[in-house]
Amino acid sequence: MRMLRAGLTNPAIRVTVSNMKFIVALAMCLALCPSAQAATSASIAPSLSPNRLHAKSALTLTIHYTSNEAGLPTPLRRAILRLPAGLSLDIPTLRSCGLAQLQAHGASGCPAQSAIGHGYALVAGSLGSQIATERVSLLAFLGPPRNLQPTFDILSQGYKPIGAQFVLSATNLPASAPYGEELVMSLPPIPTVPNEPDASILTFSLTIGASEPRHRHGATTVIVPSRCPPGGLPFAAEFSYADGSVSSAFATTPCPR
């Protein structure tokens, strides 16, 4: 006991013990910290139709999620989508659909003028010993303002084999240059069957606005910027997952002609 106490008072041994604690803490962080555990990566692919300066266009943003390990991507919980400066949404008729109304009655409970886009998602989940995939339809609606900021709600409807049905809520906020606005989107868990993990999103593709010449009078459209920076129009995204990890993605579209 005296040797143990004497050893603990030796400065050289104290440094060694401190170093060991640091190494253990570093190893735990590398194993558990979200920044080190990038189990899922994402890529974004934006496109404008038509892609002309100051045109009334439709914006399609497709996101792919990939697992960096064996198995499915980690379920998504939050996404921030940053749009180029000057890109704006033209909504001639401002009619909104509340989140509670959308959840209770679906798309039929919303005014037709509140619809601003559509798309699809591919969802996958474990059903016992098998992995099942499902194509889910997406319908986007203008929601009521929140803290004077525009909001959007995206209704997803799936049927078999998972039956994924949920509502995504997004708030439109100002963004720092070279971006103009950002959509901050929250995603709820997508349950599958009891005692199995939540489902994961493999692909998320959403088109906002109607492109020329398809847009009808009074339809919502995306206005392409009147100027384009060198290199193209920049897009960016940040994603947060259920395990606490994060990832980011960047893309540009060619400058409109």
Side-chain angles (χ1 to χ4, degrees), residues 19 34 40 88 106 170 175-177 219 239:
N19 288 344
T40 299
S88 61
S176 301
F239 305 101

Side-chain angles (χ1 to χ4, degrees), residues 154-245:
I154 302 172
L155 174 67
S156 67
Q157 294 179 313
Y159 299 96
K160 291 182 179 180
I162 298 174
Q165 299 193 17
F166 51 93
V167 177
L168 316 180
S169 296
T171 302
N172 191 30
L173 299 173
S176 301
Y179 311 104
E181 297 178 347
E182 64 183 24
L183 296 178
V184 181
M185 185 166 57
S186 299
L187 294 91
I190 307 173
T192 55
V193 295
N195 301 320
E196 291 291 347
D198 294 329
S200 301
I201 297 177
L202 305 180
T203 302
F204 183 94
S205 183
L206 186 67
T207 298
I208 299 294
S211 61
E212 297 176 336
R214 295 181 179 180
H215 76 275
R216 64 186 186 279
H217 178 72
T220 296
T221 59
V222 172
I223 306 298
V224 181
S226 57
R227 296 181 179 180
C228 182
L233 297 174
F235 293 78
E238 294 179 7
F239 305 101
S240 301
Y241 305 95
D243 62 357
S245 62

